[in-house]
PDB file of all heavy atoms in Angstrom:
ATOM      1  N   PHE K  30     -34.802 -19.533 -17.554  1.00  0.00           N
ATOM      2  CA  PHE K  30     -34.649 -18.180 -18.063  1.00  0.00           C
ATOM      3  C   PHE K  30     -35.021 -18.138 -19.539  1.00  0.00           C
ATOM      4  O   PHE K  30     -34.360 -18.750 -20.383  1.00  0.00           O
ATOM      5  CB  PHE K  30     -33.221 -17.669 -17.879  1.00  0.00           C
ATOM      6  CG  PHE K  30     -33.023 -16.306 -18.486  1.00  0.00           C
ATOM      7  CD1 PHE K  30     -33.633 -15.203 -17.918  1.00  0.00           C
ATOM      8  CD2 PHE K  30     -32.272 -16.148 -19.638  1.00  0.00           C
ATOM      9  CE1 PHE K  30     -33.493 -13.945 -18.484  1.00  0.00           C
ATOM     10  CE2 PHE K  30     -32.123 -14.892 -20.222  1.00  0.00           C
ATOM     11  CZ  PHE K  30     -32.734 -13.787 -19.637  1.00  0.00           C
ATOM     12  N   VAL K  31     -36.088 -17.406 -19.846  1.00  0.00           N
ATOM     13  CA  VAL K  31     -36.544 -17.228 -21.229  1.00  0.00           C
ATOM     14  C   VAL K  31     -36.680 -15.732 -21.471  1.00  0.00           C
ATOM     15  O   VAL K  31     -37.586 -15.089 -20.940  1.00  0.00           O
ATOM     16  CB  VAL K  31     -37.898 -17.921 -21.473  1.00  0.00           C
ATOM     17  CG1 VAL K  31     -38.317 -17.751 -22.935  1.00  0.00           C
ATOM     18  CG2 VAL K  31     -37.827 -19.387 -21.098  1.00  0.00           C
ATOM     19  N   PRO K  32     -35.777 -15.129 -22.246  1.00  0.00           N
ATOM     20  CA  PRO K  32     -35.847 -13.691 -22.463  1.00  0.00           C
ATOM     21  C   PRO K  32     -37.075 -13.271 -23.260  1.00  0.00           C
ATOM     22  O   PRO K  32     -37.672 -14.076 -23.973  1.00  0.00           O
ATOM     23  CB  PRO K  32     -34.551 -13.374 -23.216  1.00  0.00           C
ATOM     24  CG  PRO K  32     -34.112 -14.656 -23.803  1.00  0.00           C
ATOM     25  CD  PRO K  32     -34.623 -15.743 -22.914  1.00  0.00           C
ATOM     26  N   ARG K  33     -37.426 -12.027 -23.133  1.00  0.00           N
ATOM     27  CA  ARG K  33     -38.610 -11.490 -23.800  1.00  0.00           C
ATOM     28  C   ARG K  33     -38.462 -11.543 -25.313  1.00  0.00           C
ATOM     29  O   ARG K  33     -39.411 -11.867 -26.021  1.00  0.00           O
ATOM     30  CB  ARG K  33     -38.838 -10.040 -23.338  1.00  0.00           C
ATOM     31  CG  ARG K  33     -40.130  -9.413 -23.805  1.00  0.00           C
ATOM     32  CD  ARG K  33     -40.248  -7.980 -23.319  1.00  0.00           C
ATOM     33  NE  ARG K  33     -39.238  -7.130 -23.936  1.00  0.00           N
ATOM     34  CZ  ARG K  33     -39.396  -6.532 -25.110  1.00  0.00           C
ATOM     35  NH1 ARG K  33     -40.519  -6.683 -25.797  1.00  0.00           N
ATOM     36  NH2 ARG K  33     -38.439  -5.772 -25.606  1.00  0.00           N
ATOM     37  N   VAL K  34     -37.287 -11.199 -25.808  1.00  0.00           N
ATOM     38  CA  VAL K  34     -37.002 -11.212 -27.239  1.00  0.00           C
ATOM     39  C   VAL K  34     -35.971 -12.299 -27.510  1.00  0.00           C
ATOM     40  O   VAL K  34     -34.909 -12.299 -26.885  1.00  0.00           O
ATOM     41  CB  VAL K  34     -36.464  -9.847 -27.719  1.00  0.00           C
ATOM     42  CG1 VAL K  34     -36.101  -9.903 -29.204  1.00  0.00           C
ATOM     43  CG2 VAL K  34     -37.483  -8.747 -27.441  1.00  0.00           C
ATOM     44  N   PRO K  35     -36.249 -13.233 -28.403  1.00  0.00           N
ATOM     45  CA  PRO K  35     -35.292 -14.307 -28.667  1.00  0.00           C
ATOM     46  C   PRO K  35     -33.900 -13.778 -29.013  1.00  0.00           C
ATOM     47  O   PRO K  35     -33.744 -12.880 -29.841  1.00  0.00           O
ATOM     48  CB  PRO K  35     -35.914 -15.032 -29.875  1.00  0.00           C
ATOM     49  CG  PRO K  35     -37.378 -14.757 -29.759  1.00  0.00           C
ATOM     50  CD  PRO K  35     -37.483 -13.369 -29.209  1.00  0.00           C
ATOM     51  N   GLY K  36     -32.906 -14.325 -28.330  1.00  0.00           N
ATOM     52  CA  GLY K  36     -31.518 -13.989 -28.623  1.00  0.00           C
ATOM     53  C   GLY K  36     -31.024 -12.694 -28.011  1.00  0.00           C
ATOM     54  O   GLY K  36     -29.848 -12.337 -28.168  1.00  0.00           O
ATOM     55  N   LYS K  37     -31.898 -11.962 -27.300  1.00  0.00           N
ATOM     56  CA  LYS K  37     -31.498 -10.687 -26.701  1.00  0.00           C
ATOM     57  C   LYS K  37     -31.858 -10.679 -25.219  1.00  0.00           C
ATOM     58  O   LYS K  37     -32.881 -11.243 -24.829  1.00  0.00           O
ATOM     59  CB  LYS K  37     -32.176  -9.510 -27.401  1.00  0.00           C
ATOM     60  CG  LYS K  37     -31.799  -9.350 -28.871  1.00  0.00           C
ATOM     61  CD  LYS K  37     -32.507  -8.158 -29.477  1.00  0.00           C
ATOM     62  CE  LYS K  37     -32.157  -7.983 -30.953  1.00  0.00           C
ATOM     63  NZ  LYS K  37     -30.736  -7.632 -31.140  1.00  0.00           N
ATOM     64  N   VAL K  38     -31.022 -10.029 -24.422  1.00  0.00           N
ATOM     65  CA  VAL K  38     -31.285  -9.922 -22.989  1.00  0.00           C
ATOM     66  C   VAL K  38     -31.057  -8.480 -22.552  1.00  0.00           C
ATOM     67  O   VAL K  38     -30.026  -7.876 -22.868  1.00  0.00           O
ATOM     68  CB  VAL K  38     -30.362 -10.842 -22.165  1.00  0.00           C
ATOM     69  CG1 VAL K  38     -30.637 -10.665 -20.668  1.00  0.00           C
ATOM     70  CG2 VAL K  38     -30.551 -12.296 -22.564  1.00  0.00           C
ATOM     71  N   GLY K  39     -32.032  -7.929 -21.839  1.00  0.00           N
ATOM     72  CA  GLY K  39     -31.898  -6.601 -21.255  1.00  0.00           C
ATOM     73  C   GLY K  39     -31.776  -6.711 -19.748  1.00  0.00           C
ATOM     74  O   GLY K  39     -32.619  -7.347 -19.093  1.00  0.00           O
ATOM     75  N   ILE K  40     -30.725  -6.125 -19.186  1.00  0.00           N
ATOM     76  CA  ILE K  40     -30.466  -6.200 -17.743  1.00  0.00           C
ATOM     77  C   ILE K  40     -30.313  -4.793 -17.180  1.00  0.00           C
ATOM     78  O   ILE K  40     -29.614  -3.955 -17.758  1.00  0.00           O
ATOM     79  CB  ILE K  40     -29.169  -6.991 -17.436  1.00  0.00           C
ATOM     80  CG1 ILE K  40     -29.247  -8.410 -17.995  1.00  0.00           C
ATOM     81  CG2 ILE K  40     -28.910  -7.033 -15.931  1.00  0.00           C
ATOM     82  CD1 ILE K  40     -27.952  -9.193 -17.822  1.00  0.00           C
ATOM     83  N   TYR K  41     -30.958  -4.548 -16.047  1.00  0.00           N
ATOM     84  CA  TYR K  41     -30.766  -3.297 -15.304  1.00  0.00           C
ATOM     85  C   TYR K  41     -30.244  -3.657 -13.925  1.00  0.00           C
ATOM     86  O   TYR K  41     -30.876  -4.414 -13.183  1.00  0.00           O
ATOM     87  CB  TYR K  41     -32.076  -2.529 -15.173  1.00  0.00           C
ATOM     88  CG  TYR K  41     -31.935  -1.167 -14.514  1.00  0.00           C
ATOM     89  CD1 TYR K  41     -31.717  -0.027 -15.277  1.00  0.00           C
ATOM     90  CD2 TYR K  41     -32.003  -1.032 -13.132  1.00  0.00           C
ATOM     91  CE1 TYR K  41     -31.584   1.223 -14.678  1.00  0.00           C
ATOM     92  CE2 TYR K  41     -31.873   0.209 -12.524  1.00  0.00           C
ATOM     93  CZ  TYR K  41     -31.659   1.334 -13.299  1.00  0.00           C
ATOM     94  OH  TYR K  41     -31.528   2.557 -12.707  1.00  0.00           O
ATOM     95  N   LEU K  42     -29.083  -3.117 -13.580  1.00  0.00           N
ATOM     96  CA  LEU K  42     -28.492  -3.332 -12.262  1.00  0.00           C
ATOM     97  C   LEU K  42     -28.476  -2.017 -11.511  1.00  0.00           C
ATOM     98  O   LEU K  42     -27.949  -1.017 -12.003  1.00  0.00           O
ATOM     99  CB  LEU K  42     -27.064  -3.871 -12.387  1.00  0.00           C
ATOM    100  CG  LEU K  42     -26.268  -3.987 -11.083  1.00  0.00           C
ATOM    101  CD1 LEU K  42     -26.940  -4.965 -10.115  1.00  0.00           C
ATOM    102  CD2 LEU K  42     -24.832  -4.400 -11.358  1.00  0.00           C
TER     103      LEU K  42
END
Side-chain angles (χ1 to χ4, degrees):
F30 176 69
V31 182
R33 188 181 66 86
V34 177
K37 297 180 181 294
V38 178
I40 302 175
Y41 185 92
L42 173 62

